[in-house]
Amino acid sequence: MQQDVPEGSEPPVRGRVAARFTRYSALSLLTVPAGYSLFLLFRHFFENVNAGLLNLCVGMVLTPPSFLMYRVFVWGGGSGRSVWAELFSFWQTVMVGALASSAFMAVVDLLFDANEAVLILAGLTGQGVIFIARFLWLDKVTFMPRVGGS
């Protein structure tokens, strides 16, 4: 059952969160393939380095441009706090996701000497485990609009 929202008024909170989650998910359809493409490029040049470590490097390289895209397109320009504070909080979520996917990738690479397709599947599994938790952190902590002074 859908609530009617009078013209010119804000949609209910649940609707705004759902809209942000939709934009977050859609943007992930761009950033995740970009990350794994960069991973494959790194893997080509550094084939003897464990896939999990390479994945962490990719996470570090892609954090600044990803942050800017999510900040603008999902959260409409941020929380009103320092961009550096938001970037640090965002970086923490990237590292949690990168660590989860890297752990899966490292184990698969170590145990099975896996090909790139299997490594990417392992990484996606690790990222998928934290996908919703990461959104909630970004929405309720990193980009939560600042209320009041100070």
Side-chain angles (χ1 to χ4, degrees):
M1 187 181 240
Q2 187 174 349
Q3 279 186 328
D4 288 330
V5 178
E7 193 172 319
S9 68
E10 296 247 347
V13 171
R14 187 174 61 213
R16 291 190 309 265
V17 172
R20 283 191 302 271
F21 184 75
T22 300
R23 291 190 306 269
Y24 167 79
S25 299
L27 193 52
S28 293
L29 294 175
L30 175 67
T31 60
V32 170
Y36 283 107
S37 296
L38 189 57
F39 166 77
L40 292 173
L41 182 67
F42 279 25
R43 181 82 170 169
H44 175 74
F45 289 106
F46 305 103
E47 61 188 38
N48 292 326
V49 176
N50 183 276
L53 293 175
L54 286 177
N55 192 54
L56 283 174
C57 291
V58 167
M60 294 297 291
V61 169
L62 290 181
T63 294
S66 292
F67 164 74
L68 292 173
M69 288 190 300
Y70 282 98
R71 185 176 192 267
V72 170
F73 296 118
V74 178
W75 282 279
S79 66
R81 289 190 318 250
S82 156
V83 171
W84 294 108
E86 289 177 354
L87 177 59
F88 181 67
S89 183
F90 184 87
W91 173 79
Q92 290 173 317
T93 69
V94 169
M95 286 300 101
V96 169
L99 286 170
S101 63
S102 293
F104 278 72
M105 293 169 90
V107 169
V108 167
D109 194 30
L110 185 66
L111 294 178
F112 304 109
D113 191 30
N115 67 30
E116 282 74 12
V118 173
L119 289 171
I120 289 173
L121 182 60
L124 287 170
T125 301
Q127 283 187 335
V129 168
I130 62 119
F131 184 78
I132 292 174
R134 180 175 187 250
F135 170 79
L136 291 172
W137 178 266
L138 291 172
D139 198 55
K140 302 303 178 199
V141 177
T142 303
F143 296 114
M144 174 64 89
R146 203 167 139 176
V147 179
S150 72

